[in-house]
Amino acid sequence: TQSTWEAAELQAEEMEVLISIYDGDANFKVVDTRTIQYVVHSTENDKSLGIRVNWSSLYPLIAPTFSLELSVNNRMSSHDKNDVISQLKEQGRLFSILPPVLYTKKN
């Protein structure tokens, strides 16, 4: 099985990759060592969507958790939030942070 040290090393590597990909993107924010946030703003319909992705000390053995409990999502219904979370979980089925962030950005 994977040790906690190995998991921490993989988490640090993934965070480095995310930071390098989104360097200079004002929509991307590192909240803490295990949490990132990404907000997408649509100029077409003046709407925004923000996601917060958090992983436990056992990530990548355990899938990350997703949250839409951000002020930018206040107008979104609980039903819509649940639908988005379900879609994000499907995108994150490979236990990687990057696909859900990319999915949010594209959709």
Side-chain angles (χ1 to χ4, degrees), residues 49 51 68 76 79-89 103-104:
L49 173 66
I51 65 164
L68 297 177
M76 192 177 222
H79 181 273
D80 288 344
K81 286 180 183 179
N82 289 335
D83 284 347
V84 171
I85 292 290
S86 293
Q87 292 172 22
L88 291 171
K89 285 180 179 178
Y103 175 82
T104 302

Side-chain angles (χ1 to χ4, degrees), residues 31 35-38 50-54 65-68 70:
V31 177
T35 309
I36 61 163
Q37 183 174 300
Y38 197 86
I51 65 164
R52 186 169 281 184
V53 184
N54 177 269
T65 58
F66 304 100
S67 173
L68 297 177
L70 303 170

Side-chain angles (χ1 to χ4, degrees), residues 1 57 66:
T1 63
S57 61
F66 304 100

Side-chain angles (χ1 to χ4, degrees), residues 84-100:
V84 171
I85 292 290
S86 293
Q87 292 172 22
L88 291 171
K89 285 180 179 178
E90 179 64 24
Q91 293 298 312
R93 69 188 175 279
L94 299 177
F95 292 2
S96 175
I97 301 292
L98 190 55

Side-chain angles (χ1 to χ4, degrees), residues 19-20 25 34 40 59 63 65-66 71 74 83-84 88 95-96:
I19 290 169
S20 70
D25 187 339
R34 292 191 187 135
V40 180
Y59 174 83
T65 58
F66 304 100
S71 60
N74 282 346
D83 284 347
V84 171
L88 291 171
F95 292 2
S96 175

Side-chain angles (χ1 to χ4, degrees), residues 2 4-20 28 30 32-36 55-60 97:
Q2 190 176 41
T4 304
W5 179 82
E6 289 170 321
E9 190 173 289
L10 288 170
Q11 292 168 19
E13 286 175 15
E14 186 151 359
M15 184 64 83
E16 285 178 31
V17 168
L18 289 168
I19 290 169
S20 70
F28 178 79
V30 175
D32 59 41
T33 58
R34 292 191 187 135
T35 309
I36 61 163
W55 55 92
S56 75
S57 61
L58 297 177
Y59 174 83
I97 301 292

